[in-house]
Amino acid sequence: MMRLHGLLSFPLTPFTTDGKVNLAVLADHVEQQLAAGPSGLFVACGTGEFTSLSLQEYREVVGIAVQVAAGRAPVFAGAGGGPAMARDFAIAALEAGADGLLLLPPYLVHSTPAGLVEHVRYVAEATPLPITVYQRANAVLDPDAAVALLDVPTVVGIKDGKGDVSAMLRLVTAIRTSGHPRADEFGFLNGLPTAELSVQAYRSIGVESYSSAVLCFVPDIATAFYRAVTTGDAATVQRLLAAFYLPFVALRDLVPGYAVALVKAGARLGGLDVGSVRPPLVDATDEHVERLAAIIAAGRRAL
């Protein structure tokens, strides 16, 4: 079992001009991500456009990540959709050599927190892989449900994409004070889009690990920010927030789907031919790409 910690990478899924997965570019991208020193890779997740991948494409993406990582960092793979579909992807991840799963919210269906636990249990029965449960949208836990996850032996953590720090504090406290044998080893991850904006708030409630889409296209900025946060270098944190992160988020928020499309645009600006996003996402406009290039330049001046 692996407890989530540190800075985590969520690689993009590159596509060719005719819309196929570009495995050669993916291998280069994963290698570049590993060079930045994340404590884990989460492939074929939100930033990796999981919902756009066929099962066969998914197998190939996970397989390449595992091959390139070669044990240097654990590889988690996204799995989601309805329960049967999530199990199929979980089994494919196991067969491709993944070290764990990020279980995405069930497709469209709204239920209760207890119902979500049963969904997690159903998927977990398919493989022995460690599972991180992604809380967001229609998949929201309450303290009782969070504690119930401790009884699912392969569930190792919760990724929060909801953004309610008070509610997350309740989950963390409920688990840590539950008296369960696994309470202390259970992991928590800040999984908000551009998590760097909320990292200080989450660290204050004991959630120190976070995902970084920024790592996909400006690893120098992402790692400098993480280093500043963990060493207490408040001046660098504020400088990078002002010069890069806040302007980037303002641009990202202009268009739905830019949490992926703008990251891909940044990777292309860095010389990596990751191609376009798949529909229904739309690529960043030329004007927005120019603004992104200026924001990146400002961020690097602030290092």
Side-chain angles (χ1 to χ4, degrees):
M1 294 302 175
M2 56 195 76
R3 178 170 172 175
L4 301 173
H5 65 281
L7 186 64
L8 300 167
S9 167
F10 282 69
L12 298 157
T13 298
F15 298 118
T16 62
T17 54
D18 59 354
K20 297 178 181 177
V21 175
N22 193 328
L23 296 176
V25 173
L26 175 62
D28 290 342
H29 180 42
V30 170
E31 188 62 56
Q32 290 174 8
Q33 290 296 281
L34 288 164
S39 57
L41 296 170
F42 284 69
V43 297
C45 296
T47 308
E49 298 180 73
F50 166 80
T51 58
S52 78
L53 300 176
S54 70
L55 186 57
Q56 180 56 36
E57 289 174 330
Y58 174 87
R59 291 178 188 274
E60 293 170 349
V61 167
V62 177
I64 286 292
V66 169
Q67 177 183 329
V68 174
R72 288 178 287 172
V75 176
F76 279 71
M85 176 179 168
R87 285 178 71 140
D88 287 344
F89 277 87
I91 292 168
L94 175 67
E95 293 171 346
D99 299 296
L101 299 168
L102 177 64
L103 183 56
L104 308 174
Y107 177 70
L108 289 180
V109 177
H110 287 263
S111 183
T112 63
L116 178 59
V117 171
E118 292 310 308
H119 173 75
V120 173
R121 196 185 308 277
Y122 181 86
V123 178
E125 290 171 351
T127 82
L129 290 176
I131 294 174
T132 298
V133 176
Y134 195 0
Q135 168 179 260
R136 63 174 295 174
N138 62 321
V140 178
L141 298 158
D142 61 17
D144 287 343
V147 171
L149 289 177
L150 293 169
D151 290 327
V152 185
T154 53
V155 174
V156 298
I158 295 169
K159 176 185 179 184
D160 182 48
K162 188 170 181 285
D164 185 333
V165 177
S166 177
M168 192 62 182
L169 172 62
R170 292 181 177 89
L171 302 190
V172 173
T173 303
I175 286 177
R176 293 286 187 247
T177 61
S178 66
H180 195 283
R182 298 206 301 125
D184 290 339
E185 72 184 32
F186 201 81
F188 298 96
L189 163 61
N190 173 2
L192 292 174
T194 318
E196 285 88 349
L197 263 62
S198 56
V199 64
Q200 292 166 301
Y202 274 78
R203 283 176 66 85
S204 72
I205 64 168
V207 181
E208 298 185 354
S209 185
Y210 66 92
S211 60
S212 178
V214 168
L215 194 70
C216 288
F217 66 101
V218 279
D220 51 340
I221 293 175
T223 54
F225 184 86
Y226 176 71
R227 186 167 54 251
V229 166
T230 55
T231 60
D233 183 355
T236 298
V237 168
Q238 292 301 315
R239 193 166 63 247
L240 288 174
L241 285 172
F244 175 78
Y245 284 101
L246 289 171
F248 172 72
V249 168
L251 180 59
R252 184 204 70 196
D253 288 348
L254 292 178
V255 179
Y258 264 20
V260 178
L262 208 58
V263 173
K264 272 200 162 176
R268 291 194 299 271
L269 285 171
L272 195 64
D273 187 16
V274 293
S276 297
V277 292
R278 275 183 173 170
L281 298 179
V282 295
D283 284 318
T285 65
D286 291 343
E287 176 192 353
H288 290 163
V289 173
E290 290 177 8
R291 287 176 58 180
L292 176 61
I295 291 167
I296 292 171
R300 285 185 167 140
R301 288 194 297 271
L303 290 174

